[in-house]
Amino acid sequence: MKLYVYPNDNLASLKAYEIVKKALLNKKNSLLGLATGSTPLKLYDLMIKDYKKGIISYKEVKTYNVDEYIGLEESHDQSYRQFMNCNLFNHIDINIKNIYFPKGVGNINKNIKEYDKTLESLGAADIQILGIGSNGHIAFNEPGTSFDLKTHVTNLSPSTIKDNSRFFLRRDQVPTSAITMGIKSILKAKKIILLAFGENKSNAIKKLLEEEVTEDFPASALKDHPDVIIICDSDAAKKIKYN
Ligand code: PGA
């Protein structure tokens, strides 16, 4: 794993964007694995800015997302699909048919099977963008999840529900389960960029860098991947030693 630490999330997001931009300039039909949450927002802003300047086109790009809440329709304002529409897809020239997303409503078992089939047929992502939960989750693989699972339903941990509650008016509106890609599928990406900003992530980053691989700390699975880039701001890196 390579680690980059920047004084703030603007510079850290710019580093992530430079890697994404290089990949997109090299390969117009790149496949990007995307994540939601507050962490990648500045990266998505940079992607939109360069698209608007005519520097990058997403016409041939395909994307898949790693997770979606169970019980929220695509059109719900807090669904992850809406999040991606509002924060990226609506502002670039991506073909809607090239956007792949797990479905959190309807026949969930069927949705799981279909998403695994979709991911299988898409092949390995050129770049997978990830955030990290304060408890070390990646996508919604919560602590204790087998690294061998593909797409599955997960009950969100109390700390994740608490972290996510800032986006909802009331705690009882926060979904308690999600459909998520498994770690096995996430690790198929050719390159993984994990972003971590803010002091709230400092314990998770310390664990990721200093502790053993264990299913009790899902992000540790990344240690077994050959091309992982961790990009932090100085708050997220405050509990580790770096140059
Ligand atoms: P955040 O979430 O970007 O909103 O901090 C990251 C995550 O839970 O994976």
Side-chain angles (χ1 to χ4, degrees):
M1 296 194 297
K2 266 192 216 147
L3 170 71
Y4 294 92
V5 180
Y6 288 88
N8 56 55
D9 60 348
N10 289 328
L11 292 171
S13 300
L14 190 58
K15 171 69 183 174
Y17 178 59
E18 277 165 6
I19 300 168
V20 172
K21 180 177 177 179
K22 193 170 164 207
L24 295 175
L25 288 174
N26 276 336
K27 188 178 166 196
K28 283 187 170 26
N29 63 346
S30 287
L31 173 63
L32 301 179
L34 300 176
T36 54
S38 49
T39 309
L41 283 175
K42 289 188 174 171
L43 165 64
Y44 296 158
D45 279 347
L46 292 165
M47 291 166 73
I48 293 166
K49 261 192 198 145
D50 264 6
Y51 160 68
K52 289 194 168 156
K53 284 186 200 155
I55 295 170
I56 296 284
S57 167
Y58 291 85
K59 264 195 186 123
E60 295 176 44
V61 169
K62 291 185 179 171
T63 66
Y64 64 78
N65 264 73
V66 294
D67 49 19
E68 178 59 282
Y69 286 127
I70 298 272
L72 299 193
E73 297 281 351
E74 269 184 28
S75 57
H76 189 285
D77 63 353
Q78 289 302 333
S79 76
Y80 282 165
R81 177 58 197 254
Q82 272 311 308
F83 177 99
M84 290 305 303
N85 287 348
C86 294
N87 292 297
L88 182 65
F89 299 146
N90 287 350
H91 310 287
I92 56 176
D93 61 345
I94 192 162
N95 183 337
I96 198 164
K97 288 192 189 131
N98 288 338
I99 297 170
Y100 298 90
F101 232 95
K103 275 200 178 51
V105 290
N107 183 334
I108 300 295
N109 283 336
K110 190 165 156 254
N111 298 351
I112 286 174
K113 285 194 191 113
E114 277 176 5
Y115 205 54
D116 276 337
K117 257 198 213 154
T118 300
L119 293 171
E120 195 74 32
S121 66
L122 285 170
D126 294 287
I127 297 184
Q128 170 71 59
I129 304 296
L130 289 178
I132 183 170
S134 56
N135 64 359
H137 72 212
I138 49 173
F140 270 141
N141 292 277
E142 296 285 29
T145 306
S146 164
F147 289 170
D148 284 330
L149 285 183
K150 293 190 189 172
T151 304
H152 60 281
V153 168
T154 178
N155 291 320
L156 303 180
S157 73
S159 72
T160 300
I161 294 170
K162 182 169 166 275
D163 287 348
N164 293 347
S165 64
R166 66 192 193 278
F167 299 109
F168 292 82
L169 284 177
R170 296 195 322 264
R171 181 69 73 91
D172 64 1
Q173 294 172 326
V174 189
T176 53
S177 59
I179 176 168
T180 182
M181 276 174 71
I183 286 179
K184 193 170 183 165
S185 318
I186 291 172
L187 291 181
K188 285 194 177 150
K190 294 176 200 163
K191 183 188 282 298
I192 298 177
I193 301 176
L194 182 135
L195 298 168
F197 305 147
E199 197 178 344
N200 184 35
K201 303 295 168 70
S202 59
N203 284 328
I205 290 300
K206 183 176 164 65
K207 265 192 160 181
L208 174 58
L209 291 165
E210 295 179 0
E211 293 184 18
E212 308 270 284
V213 176
T214 164
E215 289 180 349
D216 289 335
F217 188 72
S220 67
L222 300 175
K223 288 179 182 246
D224 291 333
H225 188 282
D227 190 359
V228 174
I229 301 171
I230 300 169
I231 306 178
C232 297
D233 67 1
S234 50
D235 286 338
K238 73 189 289 183
K239 295 191 176 145
I240 53 166
K241 290 198 179 82
Y242 59 92
N243 294 317

